[in-house]
Every structure is written in structure tokens, then in C-alpha cells.
């Protein structure tokens, strides 16, 4: 029997009919980024990519002002998370701060790593010296929170030789992101900000030489589409597109929060392109909404069984969701 933690549960595509509106995916709702999409479509799938990804590593290194050896690419950040967790150089207790992205715990289980789960930022800092590997999601999925203790966590990790990985999947879409501390490992999954999550590509930037880590992946870990996407995502037209679209996403998130509060619902609005709303029986409400063509992320698998995660979506999608929720409220769902 598969243990619960091994089941992948994410927002986005499910096996049901396509929804009218999808609030469950955190990908940029204004996507896809036209420049990146054009690069992906122009990639030549009749050839292998460069197995060493030399030009791509150089482009990422130049963008982040590090040496090319400090960069490793992967088939999405999920793959990089699993590879990090299985890397024997980092083997030992792994620390997370739930509720957070499920893939960290999911990777630790088959790798048979002891998993330390902090219940508060204070506990995270206390446990950090006992961990060899720790993940923090910035902003956090599902809460949208940007932790105020990043610099302290980075210093503690450095003092105790723990590897602190910041998962920056939604960082490019964050409102007022703080500067990132030095000495941490950074995971970038630009497919979310550029609205191209079907392109499986991400990268890691570390304060160490990643040559050995690169060799843990099979050859051609990134397809020509992934290679073309990552290169394009760093170029000015794509960077400008993300900078312009995120303003709209924050406005949509604010409007959605206002609409939900008007219905009398409690909203937790962080700094990301998504928010949490407390609805009571989250699974039943999510199912009722799905039956009306609206997909939302039931947060039960995050341990938040009264919450839905909703991404910033255009006004017509918001209107449909708010109307459906008002209807459900009228049917007194809290008593379901
Ligand atoms: C916080 C976070 N990190 C990483 C990922 C993995 O994304 P990908 O494998 O597409 O890079 C996701 C996807 O939902 C996520 O929410």
C-alpha cells in the first residue's frame, strides 16, 4: 500500500473534465509568456540537447552572477528536490516547516531520511543545527508567507554546516520580496511565473561546486524544450513580461480577497499570487465547486482541512467563484 505522503497531490490538472476556471494552479494566470513560448515552440525536437548544457549553465550563471559550476539544471524543481534529498553529501536529518509544499516530505520518505518537522519559526531555528538539509519555501506554498527570519536561518545553517535550500518557485511573483540572504542554496522554477508549467525545467544555484550533483542525473535530463525555455526566461522580454504581469496578479488577488471577505469568509493574504480562504469542510466545498466547473485547491493534504488555496485569476473567473460560494453559503455548507 502506498503511504499517504507518497501520493503526489498538487493543484492544476486532474483527471476530471477541464474546469471552466482553475484557481488551483499557481501558474501565472496571464501566461504563457509569449517570448518564452515562442522559444519553446522553435526548439528542434529532432536532436538531443547538449548533454553538458554548457551554454545554458553559462547563461544562468551570468544572470545570477555566480560561476557556471554553481549551477545545475533539472527536469523541474521537483526532480531537483528529489535529487538533493538523495545526494549522499547531504545525507542526514532533513528539516521542513509545515504547512508547506508536499514534495520535500514526499522525497524524504523513499530516501529513508529522518524528517524533522518544525511547528514554528522558533522551532525551525532550534532544530536547524540537527539537520543536514533544510527546505524553506519563499513565499511559502500554500500560505503565501515570506518568513522574516531568513537571514537568521541562513546564519544558523552556515554556523552548523546545514544546507539551507530556499525554494523560490513563486519568488518572481512575490509582492515586495526581501533580499535573499547569502550562503543559501536557491531553487528556481520559472515555469510558474512564465505560465509554462507543462515545460519540465528548473535549476539550482548553490554556494558550492555542483559538478558531482550534476552527474547524479541521467544524461539529457532537460529536453530541448526545457533548455530553450530556461534560456528565454532569463532574457529581457521575458523578464519584463513577468514584471508587468505580476502587478495585475496582485490586483486580482486583492480583489478576490475583498470579495471573499464580503461573503464573511476569513482570508489569509500573503505576498504571493495566491491566498488562503477558510471555508470549513474544505474537501466538500472543493467538490461542490468542481461540480460547478470551478477547480480550487483543497488544503487538507497540507494539514489545513478548513482551507482552500485560490490563485489570482481574472475578474470573470472571480465573479463565477464568488457567485458559486455565495450559493453554497446560502445552502449553509458550514453545517454539512
Ligand atoms: C513551492 C513549489 N516548489 C516546487 C514546485 C515544483 O514545480 P516544478 O517541478 O514544476 O518546478 C512546485 C509546484 O507546485 C511548488 O509549488
Amino acid at each position: 500500500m502506498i503511504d499517504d505522503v507518497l501520493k503526489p497531490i498538487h493543484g492544476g490538472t486532474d483527471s476530471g473534465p477541464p474546469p471552466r476556471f482553475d484557481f488551483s494552479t499557481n501558474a501565472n494566470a496571464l501566461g504563457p509568456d509569449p517570448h518564452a513560448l515562442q522559444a519553446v515552440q522553435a526548439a528542434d525536437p529532432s536532436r538531443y540537447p547538449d548533454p553538458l548544457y554548457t551554454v545554458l549553465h553559462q547563461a544562468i550563471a551570468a544572470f545570477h552572477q555566480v560561476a557556471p559550476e554553481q549551477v545545475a539544471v533539472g527536469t523541474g524543481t521537483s526532480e531537483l528536490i528529489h535529487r538533493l534529498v538523495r545526494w549522499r553529501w547531504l545525507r542526514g536529518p532533513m528539516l521542513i516547516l509545515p504547512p508547506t509544499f508536499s514534495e520535500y516530505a514526499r522525497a524524504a520518505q523513499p530516501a529513508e531520511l529522518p524528517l524533522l518537522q518544525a511547528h514554528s519559526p522558533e522551532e525551525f531555528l532550534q532544530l536547524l543545527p540537527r539537520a543536514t538539509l533544510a527546505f524553506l519555501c519563499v513565499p511559502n506554498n500554500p500560505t503565501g508567507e515570506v518568513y522574516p527570519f531568513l537571514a537568521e536561518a541562513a546564519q544558523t545553517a552556515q554556523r552548523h554546516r546545514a544546507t539551507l535550500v530556499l525554494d523560490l518557485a513563486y519568488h518572481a511573483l512575490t509582492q515586495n520580496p526581501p533580499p535573499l540572504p547569502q550562503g543559501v542554496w536557491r531553487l528556481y522554477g520559472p515555469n510558474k511565473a512564465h505560465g509554462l508549467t507543462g515545460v519540465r525545467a528548473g535549476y539550482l544555484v548553490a554556494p558550492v561546486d555542483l559538478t558531482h550533483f550534476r552527474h547524479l542525473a541521467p544524461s539529457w535530463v532537460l529536453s530541448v524544450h526545457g533548455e530553450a525555455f530556461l534560456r528565454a526566461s532569463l532574457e529581457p522580454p521575458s523578464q519584463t513580461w513577468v514584471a508587468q504581469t505580476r502587478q495585475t496578479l496582485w490586483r486580482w488577488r486583492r480583489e478576490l480577497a475583498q470579495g471573499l471577505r464580503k461573503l464573511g469568509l476569513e482570508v489569509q493574504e500573503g505576498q504571493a499570487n495566491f491566498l488562503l480562504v477558510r471555508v470549513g469542510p474544505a474537501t466538500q466545498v472543493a467538490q461542490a465547486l468542481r461540480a460547478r466547473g470551478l477547480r480550487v485547491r483543497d488544503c487538507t493534504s497540507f494539514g489545513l482541512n478548513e482551507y482552500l488555496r485560490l490563485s489570482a485569476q481574472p475578474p470573470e473567473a472571480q465573479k463565477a467563484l464568488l457567485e458559486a460560494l455565495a450559493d453554497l453559503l446560502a445552502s449553509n455548507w458550514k453545517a454539512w
Side-chain angles (χ1 to χ4, degrees):
M1 200 176 91
I2 300 180
D3 199 290
D4 263 358
V5 82
L6 291 175
K7 286 189 208 149
I9 308 163
H10 299 295
T13 320
D14 61 23
S15 46
R20 259 185 321 135
F21 299 112
D22 189 354
F23 287 81
S24 76
T25 169
N26 285 337
N28 187 333
L30 287 150
D33 159 9
H35 176 72
L37 178 63
Q38 202 256 330
V40 170
Q41 287 171 338
D44 176 4
S46 68
R47 61 169 184 89
Y48 277 107
D50 166 15
L52 298 177
Y53 299 106
T54 307
V55 174
L56 179 58
H57 285 140
Q58 283 167 351
I60 296 171
F63 186 84
H64 290 285
Q65 300 183 317
V66 295
E69 306 73 56
Q70 291 174 255
V71 174
V73 295
T75 318
T77 46
S78 305
E79 186 270 318
L80 288 162
I81 291 165
H82 282 254
R83 209 191 314 166
L84 273 170
V85 165
R86 287 155 196 255
W87 193 13
R88 74 181 153 78
W89 287 13
L90 304 182
R91 220 176 152 74
M94 183 181 131
L95 174 62
I96 57 173
L97 179 54
T100 193
F101 184 47
S102 58
E103 209 65 26
Y104 317 132
R106 190 165 171 265
Q109 176 135 335
E112 297 177 15
L113 290 194
L115 184 64
L116 307 173
Q117 307 200 47
H119 297 96
S120 64
E122 295 72 31
E123 198 185 2
F124 184 89
L125 292 171
Q126 277 161 17
L127 290 173
L128 197 46
R130 284 173 44 197
T132 51
L133 176 63
F135 284 95
L136 282 177
C137 190
V138 184
N140 188 36
N141 176 8
T143 57
E145 184 182 2
V146 174
Y147 306 112
F149 63 93
L150 293 179
E152 203 180 339
Q155 281 163 11
T156 309
Q158 257 170 340
R159 247 195 333 272
H160 296 275
R161 295 172 177 274
T163 295
L164 177 62
V165 182
L166 301 187
D167 180 344
L168 303 172
Y170 305 104
H171 192 259
L173 298 177
T174 313
Q175 198 169 9
N176 311 319
L180 296 174
Q182 297 291 313
V184 292
W185 298 45
R186 288 175 280 154
L187 262 180
Y188 289 93
N191 57 2
K192 276 134 313 267
H194 296 267
L196 282 161
T197 48
V199 180
R200 308 300 307 133
Y203 60 90
L204 174 66
V205 177
V208 299
D209 185 320
L210 289 174
T211 308
H212 183 260
F213 179 76
R214 286 184 193 168
H215 288 304
L216 294 181
S219 296
W220 308 291
V221 66
L222 208 59
S223 70
V224 286
H225 299 105
E227 187 186 39
F229 164 64
L230 288 184
R231 282 196 68 184
S233 72
L234 305 171
E235 290 166 0
S238 281
Q239 289 291 312
T240 307
W241 182 84
V242 170
Q244 285 166 350
T245 56
R246 65 187 164 215
Q247 311 275 347
T248 308
L249 295 176
W250 300 333
R251 178 161 51 79
W252 287 350
R253 189 198 69 209
R254 237 186 356 262
E255 288 166 1
L256 178 62
Q258 281 164 1
L260 293 164
R261 287 190 180 114
K262 267 198 201 143
L263 292 178
L265 296 170
E266 179 194 318
V267 177
Q268 274 186 42
E269 211 180 344
Q271 284 165 259
N273 58 316
F274 47 85
L275 54 73
L276 285 181
V277 59
R278 188 173 195 172
V279 294
T283 304
Q284 286 97 317
V285 174
Q287 281 165 358
L289 290 171
R290 187 74 179 87
R292 290 162 190 243
L294 294 152
R295 187 155 53 208
V296 296
R297 176 68 159 89
D298 166 12
C299 289
T300 301
S301 66
F302 289 106
L304 303 173
N305 60 7
E306 295 201 340
Y307 288 84
L308 302 178
R309 191 193 66 203
L310 304 173
S311 57
Q313 295 293 327
E316 59 167 322
Q318 290 186 38
K319 187 168 175 286
L321 178 71
L322 293 171
E323 280 171 7
L325 283 170
D327 256 18
L328 293 176
L329 268 174
S331 75
N332 195 19
W333 87 58
K334 298 208 169 175
W336 290 355

